[in-house]
């Protein structure tokens, strides 16, 4: 971890019509941080993740990523960076989704090289060589010519992680990466995420895997009712919660 924030979120707001989903969220992530977002379903965790890389458009606040301001408030106006800048930022902080979002009609290898070739305009041969290294890293090099429907859920998620890594990202966002998996497939995906953390990659993970969060996180944020209610180290969050709401949540998920 360094002292340089890769991501700074200040006063972030998100509403859908009259429904307020995020209320003045502040979040700082440093290079090399492993950050977990925990909290009850519907509390705003996934929306926060989607706002960070503009898969969902915030309604207010400021986001800075790698020194560039992607949105900010001005008097009487909320200003968002040009779409080209947002696309570039999104390519450097890809998201791994709960339901994989692989292209069903493309092979594993084709899924992994899609963005490097067509978004980043890298030479195909270079993208293929790097994709094979990445697939080997997640234990799926031998599946390069398989299609997603020939893979287990855990294998699909590891392909999705390889696809994110192929972008050479500065930050990877994980939106409940194991929640759609059968229990026996979860450990392989968690092991892959752990290996990324051990390599010093910067990660933000929305997860209900509390034991995993406690072991891996540098910092944990408890998001509830659209508010970042409490933040701390794993020991602070799990052993010394300050609020009764967090203490109640931990008791519930520990059973």
């Amino acid at each position: 971890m360094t002292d340089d924030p890769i991501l700074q979120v200040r006063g972030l707001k998100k509403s859908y019509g009259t429904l307020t989903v995020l209320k003045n969220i502040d979040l700082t992530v440093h290079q090399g941080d492993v950050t977990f977002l925990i909290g009850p379903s519907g509390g705003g965790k996934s929306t926060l993740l989607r706002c960070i890389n503009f898969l969902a458009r915030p309604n207010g606040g400021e986001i800075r990523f790698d020194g560039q301001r992607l949105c900010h408030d001005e008097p009487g106006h909320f200003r968002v960076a040009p779409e080209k800048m947002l696309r570039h930022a999104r390519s450097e902080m890809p998201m791994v989704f709960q339901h994989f979002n692989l292209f069903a009609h493309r092979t594993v290898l084709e899924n992994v090289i899609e963005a490097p070739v067509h978004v980043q305009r890298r030479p195909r041969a270079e993208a293929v060589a790097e994709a094979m290294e990445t697939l080997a890293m997640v234990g799926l090099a031998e599946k390069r010519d398989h299609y997603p429907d020939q893979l287990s859920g855990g294998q699909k998620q590891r392909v999705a992680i390889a696809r994110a890594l192929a972008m050479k990202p500065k930050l990877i966002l994980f939106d409940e990466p194991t929640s759609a998996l059968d229990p026996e497939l979860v450990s392989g995906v968690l092991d892959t995420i752990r290996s990324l953390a051990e390599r010093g990659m910067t990660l933000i993970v929305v997860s209900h895997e509390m034991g995993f969060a406690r072991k891996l996180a540098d910092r944990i944020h408890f998001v509830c009712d659209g508010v970042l209610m409490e933040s701390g180290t794993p020991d602070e969050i799990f052993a010394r919660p300050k609020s009764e709401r967090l203490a109640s949540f931990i008791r519930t998920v520990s059973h």
Side-chain angles (χ1 to χ4, degrees):
M1 189 175 77
T2 73
D3 290 332
D4 302 321
I6 188 73
L7 176 72
Q8 292 178 295
V9 177
R10 294 289 177 266
L12 192 70
K13 304 175 185 71
K14 175 62 179 174
S15 298
Y16 293 99
T18 59
L19 177 65
T20 300
V21 183
L22 298 177
K23 308 167 188 174
N24 293 309
I25 297 284
D26 292 346
L27 177 70
T28 299
V29 176
H30 294 84
Q31 294 174 6
D33 270 355
V34 179
T35 299
F36 274 72
L37 305 178
I38 66 170
S41 296
K45 305 182 302 298
S46 293
T47 300
L48 173 56
L49 214 60
R50 294 175 70 85
C51 284
I52 285 171
N53 80 344
F54 285 83
L55 287 175
R57 185 70 57 110
N59 302 116
E62 181 176 12
I63 298 175
R64 286 182 180 268
F65 173 67
D66 196 28
Q68 288 194 313
R69 192 161 64 175
L70 303 182
C71 66
H72 66 281
D73 292 310
E74 292 183 350
H77 184 67
F78 175 60
R79 187 171 296 279
V80 177
E83 186 60 34
K84 183 177 180 181
M85 184 184 292
L86 297 182
R87 282 199 304 269
H88 178 72
R90 199 176 294 126
S91 75
E92 294 193 323
M93 50 173 160
M95 185 179 292
V96 177
F97 297 90
Q98 181 176 342
H99 294 287
F100 326 126
N101 287 22
L102 299 177
F103 294 112
H105 61 292
R106 293 180 180 161
T107 65
V108 164
L109 180 62
E110 288 167 345
N111 266 280
V112 174
I113 68 171
E114 171 73 16
V117 171
H118 296 290
V119 177
Q120 297 179 328
R121 305 295 183 188
R122 282 154 55 190
R124 182 182 175 87
E126 173 189 306
V128 168
E130 291 181 357
M132 289 307 300
E133 290 180 9
T134 304
L135 286 169
M137 186 192 308
V138 300
L140 291 173
E142 76 284 359
K143 302 290 186 182
R144 59 171 288 172
D145 295 321
H146 286 58
Y147 288 88
D149 65 1
Q150 297 173 300
L151 305 177
S152 71
Q155 289 171 332
K156 290 177 187 177
Q157 194 59 292
R158 283 186 282 148
V159 172
I161 293 171
R163 179 178 61 182
L165 287 172
M167 302 290 284
K168 298 185 176 179
K170 295 177 179 177
L171 167 65
I172 303 180
L173 309 174
F174 290 89
D175 187 12
E176 300 191 26
T178 60
S179 64
L181 302 179
D182 292 332
E184 67 270 19
L185 302 176
V186 168
S187 62
V189 173
L190 296 184
D191 286 344
T192 301
I193 296 172
R194 185 181 294 108
S195 73
L196 301 182
E198 290 170 352
R199 290 169 179 264
M201 298 203 66
T202 310
L203 314 176
I204 303 179
V205 186
V206 171
S207 181
H208 292 288
E209 300 284 343
M210 294 299 103
F212 185 61
R214 188 166 192 168
K215 290 177 183 176
L216 196 66
D218 294 304
R219 196 154 187 85
I220 298 176
H221 303 280
F222 177 57
V223 182
C224 182
D225 298 328
V227 176
L228 203 158
M229 195 170 284
E230 200 163 332
S231 302
T233 65
D235 191 53
E236 288 168 341
I237 291 293
F238 287 102
R240 300 190 302 278
K242 296 175 184 176
S243 67
E244 175 53 33
R245 185 66 186 87
L246 175 55
S248 173
F249 173 77
I250 290 171
R251 286 194 298 269
T252 301
V253 297
S254 297
H255 292 139

